[in-house]
Amino acid sequence: MVLPPEEGRGLTTSLTRVLVATAVPAERDAVAEAFPGPVRERTLPGALVHRTAGGPDLIAAGVGPALAAASTAAALTAAALDGRPYALVVCAGIGGGFAPDAPLGSLVVADAITAADLGAETAEGFLPVTELGFGTVTHRPPASLAAAAATASGARTGTVLTVSTVTGTAARADTLRARHPRALAEGMEGFGVAEAAAAQGVPVLEIRAVSNPVGPRDRAAWRIGDALAALTDGFGKLAPVLESWNQHDQ
């Protein structure tokens, strides 16, 4: 149930300083299901925040790294200006998993969030933007937090790649895996969310529920419902870990 802002006043939550950014409303709502109770909406410039009664704040930040970064930055800035800065940002959603290490329905917690296609193609191969002398291509969540989240949720840990174009061929999957041997999953928002968080000195975590294998595009093989259910279940198990981090950072 979503309450208008005036009806939601007075709600207290243990995770109000944790922001969860998903790509689309279906993912946001799957996370919200792990925290039963009314939800209060708050409209910000560039972001609509759903404040749960017993869990974190949630935004559907948009598809792709650019929009996800912009929406996350807007929510982080508004919270900081309000005197209630977030202690942690979690990028969450469904995504592709690299077989056989990340099967359908499994959860992946990133220990590295990497932009897979930020760089330049050359005659000698792909050069990441770091080798061109600019920026970064990887953000690393706090190691203790990633490990605790994986243990609590039963997730696998490894690199989660951020791509601007979803992989749709076996050749592309093989290329990514060769370039990033520790990659377990790919999504489209993690690096953008991490860039926004890093700009404001806020730690980040990424969690993906696997809905499809990375490789040839076959929508009949997608298991979106199962992945969304896994996301809900995972966040239910993650709540104590996030609460502990939230309290430790205060």
Side-chain angles (χ1 to χ4, degrees):
M1 176 176 64
V2 176
L3 300 179
E6 63 273 11
E7 294 181 47
R9 290 175 184 160
L11 292 177
T12 58
T13 79
S14 58
L15 295 175
T16 53
R17 296 181 67 239
V18 175
L19 176 68
V20 176
T22 69
V24 297
E27 294 167 321
R28 178 199 63 202
D29 295 345
V31 175
E33 286 184 23
F35 305 95
V39 175
R40 175 163 59 97
E41 290 185 348
R42 183 186 181 194
T43 302
L44 304 173
L48 175 64
V49 176
H50 279 216
R51 181 156 292 168
T52 60
D57 287 357
L58 312 170
I59 59 170
V63 175
L67 183 53
S71 299
T72 302
L76 289 173
T77 300
L81 292 175
D82 198 35
R84 296 174 56 83
Y86 290 108
L88 175 68
V89 179
V90 183
C91 179
I94 63 176
F98 286 93
D101 300 314
L104 299 185
S106 66
L107 287 176
V108 173
V109 169
D111 57 18
I113 302 168
T114 297
D117 48 15
L118 182 60
E121 292 288 351
T122 74
E124 291 73 34
F126 177 79
L127 288 179
V129 72
T130 49
E131 294 188 26
L132 301 175
F134 304 103
T136 184
V137 292
T138 296
H139 291 281
R140 298 188 182 279
S144 61
L145 177 60
T151 298
S153 63
R156 295 158 171 80
T157 56
T159 300
V160 175
L161 302 178
T162 299
V163 295
S164 296
T165 301
V166 173
T167 300
T169 66
R172 173 65 171 167
D174 291 343
T175 296
L176 288 177
R177 198 63 183 275
R179 192 182 298 159
H180 305 281
R182 296 188 66 255
L184 290 183
E186 73 169 21
M188 299 183 73
E189 294 76 36
F191 186 77
V193 172
E195 286 275 83
Q200 300 199 31
V202 181
V204 69
L205 189 67
E206 183 171 10
I207 300 166
R208 291 283 168 182
V210 177
S211 58
N212 57 277
V214 177
R217 186 174 175 83
D218 178 11
R219 296 199 64 172
W222 293 2
R223 297 293 180 266
I224 292 176
D226 292 343
L228 291 173
L231 199 61
T232 301
D233 181 67
F235 266 87
K237 296 173 180 176
L238 281 171
V241 174
L242 299 180
E243 183 173 356
S244 176
W245 179 270
N246 183 61
Q247 292 175 344
H248 177 268
D249 192 75
Q250 292 191 48

